[in-house]
Amino acid sequence: MNRERKTPERRSRKARRTRDTLAQAAFELVLDRGLREVTVEEIAERADVDRRTFSRYFTSKEDAVLDSVRGDGDRINDALRARPAGEPPLTAYRRAVLDWLADPESDAWHRRPRIFELLVLADREPTLYAAFHHIRVDAQEDSVAIVAHRLRTDPRQDIRPAVTVAAGAGALLAAQAAWVRGGCPEELPRLVEQAFDALSGELFAQLPAGPASHSTTEGNGTS
């Protein structure tokens, strides 16, 4: 009985090791040489498996190289589930992101080796950016379900959970974009705070009276 139970567990651990080895091989090769200079066959060879084994775990080299950040959406969602029930939804989302950034048990992007390089590359490579977008969308769908549960509502009928997550995820995305373009890996937590502050602060303030500086009527020679 015990032997029968251990066999699937052993297979699961072996599969996890194979997946991790492939993901690490993709991560190292792509960051060292560039996405376009690396083939799936080279990743499989580095991991000491064949192409068919690679295809069992990943659909593309982009999918493999991003496996190192795939779990971060789950970590944010776990933190979101753990937030106190009485917190307003957007506050809960913000604090979940900050909990993930500060978690001593699982390093966030700014404290994990070479993740900054990976996200800089994703910002430049369209296929890598698209694959990363799919990972974000999957995580956000789970976030919407969590927020809907907190609000005791049906997200198919109530737009508030989707709006909450769109706002929070948008703030995180804006912070990430500023982070990778700014060239300072340690700045991510400050930029996240700044992005969420903008959501609740000056963006809701009364705009000053008068025409905007980018008005199309300015300087067109009309009188």
Side-chain angles (χ1 to χ4, degrees), residues 110 116 175 178-179 182-194:
H110 62 298
F116 181 79
W179 181 54
C184 297
E186 70 283 356
E187 286 284 274
L188 182 60
R190 183 188 67 79
L191 290 167
V192 168
E193 288 272 26
Q194 190 177 72

Side-chain angles (χ1 to χ4, degrees), residues 94-120:
R94 172 181 184 154
R95 290 178 179 166
V97 172
L98 295 177
D99 287 345
W100 162 67
L101 288 170
D103 186 357
E105 301 298 323
S106 181
D107 287 347
W109 294 339
H110 62 298
R111 291 185 280 119
R112 205 181 309 161
R114 305 197 77 180
I115 294 298
F116 181 79
E117 293 177 55
L118 175 62
L119 296 183
V120 168

